[in-house]
Amino acid sequence: MFDKISSGIKEFLDRFGRKGLLTKKDIEDGLEFFKKILISSDVNIKVAKEILRRVKKEAEKEESLKSLVPQEQMTKILYEELIRILGKTYPLKISSIPPTEIILFGIQGSGKTTTSGKLALYLQRRGYRVLLVPLDLKRPGAIEQLKEISEKVESKFFFEENKNVYSLIKKAKNFSKKNGIDFIIYDTPGRLHIDKEMMQELKDIRDEIKPKETLLVASALLGQGSVDIAIEFKRKVGLTGIIATKVDGDSKGGSILSMKFVTGVPIKFIGTGEKMEDFSEFDPESFAGRIMGFGDIKGLIKKIERVKEEEREKITIK
Ligand code: GDP
C-alpha cells in the first residue's frame, strides 16, 4: 500500500537529514523535487499546489528555520498538512427514526456490491439490523451477487421480481418497518462508464428514497479518474460521502489525497481487500502516516515536540 509515494516522500525528507539549519534555498529545492513525486503519484494538480504552498509557508517560519532537527521538523509539517488536506473523520449519519437509508452509487467494477456487504457487516457488528436491497433490475447477476453476499454476512435481503424499481423501493421500506430494520443499504445500477441516462436514473432513484447518506464507491486504483467520477456524481446526483475501495492495491495514494479537497465530499470509509472484514472508517491521521511510510507517526510527532521543547528551554536558559 502506497509504496511508490512513501518511498518518494522518504527521499524528499532524507534531503533534510544531512543539513545543518534549513535555508530557504534548501526548502525550495526540496519542494521542487517533492512536486514531481506528487504529480507522478496521480495527485491532482490543484491539491499538489496546495500541499506545496502550505508546506513552504510552514517551513519558512522562523521557528522552522532555526530548528536543530530540520528533517524531523519537515516530517511534522508535512504530516500536519496532509491531514489538513485529507479532512476529518466523518461518521455515518443516522436517522432519528429508523431505518437509516443509504444509497451506494458507483460505476461497474468499483466494488459497489462487495462494499454493500462490507458496510452491512460493519453495522451489524455495532448491533444494528441491516437490510440489503438490489436496484439493478436489468442485471440478474448483480441481484444474485448481492443475495450471496447477504448470506455471507448474515444480513437481511429483500427482492421481489418487479419491473418497476420504485415499487420495489416502497416494498423494501415496508418490509424494513415490519422487521425492525435499522439500516437499508441500496445497491444501485452502475455501468462501465458514466452516461446521461444512468445519471438521470440514479437521480430519480435518490429522489424516491430520500436517503440519509448517498455514498459514492470509487476505486482508488483509478487515480485522477476516480476524482473525475466523484465530480460528475456530485454535480449530477449529489453525494454525502465517498467510500474508497481497493486501497490495498494502491501504490500512489493520489486519488485518496485528492478526492476530498477537489470535490468537498468527505471520504467516510475505505476498502482494503476482497474479504468482508477488509473495511474501516477513514482516519486521516493514520492515513497520512501510512502515506508517509511511518508505522508509528504519532510517536514520532511526540518525540519531535519533545526535542522542540528542549530547544526552547536551552534558548531560555541562555
Ligand atoms: P461492482 O461491479 O461495483 O458491484 O463491483 P464488485 O463488488 O463486483 O467488485 C469488483 C471486484 O473488486 C471484485 O473482484 C471484488 O472482490 C473486488 N474488490 C472490491 N473491493 C475491493 C477492495 O477493497 N480491495 C480489493 N483488492 N478488491 C476489491
Side-chain angles (χ1 to χ4, degrees):
M1 209 189 280
F2 309 136
D3 323 347
K4 191 170 181 296
I5 190 163
S6 305
S7 65
I9 288 179
K10 186 173 179 308
E11 224 179 301
F12 162 64
L13 293 170
D14 279 349
R15 294 170 75 106
F16 302 98
R18 295 179 297 274
K19 304 273 178 199
L21 292 185
L22 272 184
T23 65
K24 288 197 177 176
K25 174 93 173 56
D26 296 333
I27 297 169
E28 249 157 50
D29 291 349
L31 290 178
E32 199 48 46
F33 174 79
F34 189 37
K35 186 176 172 185
K36 292 194 188 100
I37 292 162
L38 291 174
I39 301 299
S40 68
S41 300
D42 278 350
V43 176
N44 175 281
I45 187 72
K46 273 192 228 156
V47 179
K49 279 189 177 157
E50 183 64 9
I51 295 174
L52 293 165
R53 187 187 70 76
R54 292 186 190 192
V55 170
K56 184 169 190 289
K57 187 167 163 248
E58 287 305 311
E60 286 184 351
K61 283 188 177 161
E62 205 182 336
E63 77 163 52
S64 302
L65 294 173
K66 278 190 181 155
S67 172
L68 298 176
V69 282
Q71 186 177 14
E72 285 80 356
Q73 181 70 14
M74 280 305 261
T75 304
K76 181 170 180 287
I77 290 173
L78 182 59
Y79 175 64
E80 288 172 353
E81 295 310 327
L82 288 182
I83 292 172
R84 263 186 215 130
I85 290 284
L86 288 167
K88 297 181 290 189
T89 296
Y90 297 89
L92 211 55
K93 284 185 232 136
I94 299 183
S95 303
S96 49
I97 304 166
T100 297
E101 293 175 85
I102 300 172
I103 302 186
L104 297 188
F105 286 144
I107 61 167
Q108 202 176 322
S110 59
K112 195 162 39 61
T113 306
T114 311
T115 302
S116 307
K118 288 179 174 182
L119 183 57
L121 183 63
Y122 167 91
L123 291 166
Q124 284 167 187
R125 286 189 170 164
R126 281 152 186 80
Y128 295 112
R129 283 167 69 89
V130 182
L131 177 69
L132 291 178
V133 183
L135 297 181
D136 191 352
L137 306 186
K138 290 190 192 121
R139 283 204 309 140
I143 300 166
E144 194 49 40
Q145 190 193 352
L146 190 69
K147 184 165 186 283
E148 281 168 18
I149 283 180
S150 76
E151 283 160 10
K152 213 175 190 177
V153 298
E154 298 179 352
S155 72
K156 293 269 181 200
F157 175 80
F158 184 85
F159 181 69
E160 272 184 13
E161 276 308 330
N162 214 313
K163 286 202 172 55
N164 185 323
V165 74
Y166 305 108
S167 85
L168 176 63
I169 291 168
K170 276 200 187 82
K171 285 183 178 171
K173 285 182 186 250
N174 281 337
F175 175 92
S176 98
K177 293 233 161 76
K178 282 191 197 125
N179 289 275
I181 297 293
D182 301 302
F183 281 88
I184 309 179
I185 300 171
Y186 298 95
D187 185 15
T188 59
R191 315 241 165 88
L192 287 171
H193 61 280
I194 302 169
D195 60 37
K196 228 171 143 186
E197 197 191 322
M198 175 175 94
M199 287 305 201
Q200 188 56 46
E201 194 181 333
L202 298 181
K203 191 167 181 304
D204 293 343
I205 288 176
R206 198 213 51 196
D207 290 347
E208 177 70 21
I209 294 173
K210 297 188 182 62
K212 195 76 180 167
E213 292 272 15
T214 308
L215 304 178
L216 176 72
V217 177
S219 164
L221 300 183
L222 296 182
Q224 179 61 37
S226 62
V227 178
D228 294 339
I229 290 168
I231 293 172
E232 218 31 37
F233 270 88
K234 186 193 172 192
R235 194 180 299 148
K236 304 265 170 67
V237 265
L239 294 173
T240 60
I242 293 170
I243 302 180
T245 57
K246 310 193 188 188
V247 176
D248 49 306
D250 179 18
S251 66
K252 296 176 171 177
S255 70
I256 306 262
L257 271 174
S258 310
M259 279 197 285
K260 160 75 172 59
F261 186 84
V262 175
T263 64
V265 181
I267 299 175
K268 296 209 165 183
F269 296 97
I270 54 168
T272 51
E274 295 196 70
K275 292 201 293 294
M276 289 295 128
E277 293 79 12
D278 297 332
F279 184 77
S280 55
E281 284 157 24
F282 180 63
D283 170 12
E285 288 185 16
S286 87
F287 219 79
R290 276 199 258 173
I291 282 186
M292 291 174 69
F294 289 107
D296 179 22
I297 185 101
K298 285 184 190 167
L300 180 72
I301 297 299
K302 274 201 194 119
K303 203 171 118 198
I304 298 168
E305 293 291 354
R306 241 189 346 263
V307 173
K308 279 176 70 183
E309 198 50 46
E310 281 167 18
E311 277 179 28
R312 247 179 254 127
E313 278 169 15
K314 268 186 219 150
I315 293 165
T316 340
I317 291 163
K318 275 178 198 164

